Amino acid sequence: MNSWIFLFLAAILSGFALIEVPLAGTFLASLAPFTTVVGVLTVLVFSLVLIYKGVRYLFNK
């Protein structure tokens, strides 16, 4: 199994963490929309990469 897959899964989990991080009431509250957008983009990009690699693997066999 390719070890990069676990890195992609870790990136997806970190994207979910960025989406759910509670910044209200801290000095970072102004960054909340930015962290949400970065989190959503991270989850989307790495999920699409995993889907692409999975489909490529299926059709190469």
Side-chain angles (χ1 to χ4, degrees):
M1 178 180 259
N2 196 351
S3 65
W4 289 97
I5 292 174
F6 295 117
L7 181 64
F8 294 152
L9 288 174
I12 291 171
L13 288 175
S14 65
F16 280 121
L18 276 176
I19 292 169
E20 295 295 324
V21 67
L23 295 176
T26 66
F27 67 96
L28 297 173
S30 62
L31 293 177
F34 178 71
T35 59
T36 302
V37 169
V38 169
V40 168
L41 287 176
T42 302
V43 170
L44 285 176
V45 167
F46 285 104
S47 295
L48 289 174
V49 168
L50 276 179
I51 291 169
Y52 172 73
K53 287 200 170 276
V55 168
R56 236 179 78 194
Y57 179 77
L58 285 175
F59 286 121
N60 281 340
K61 285 245 166 179

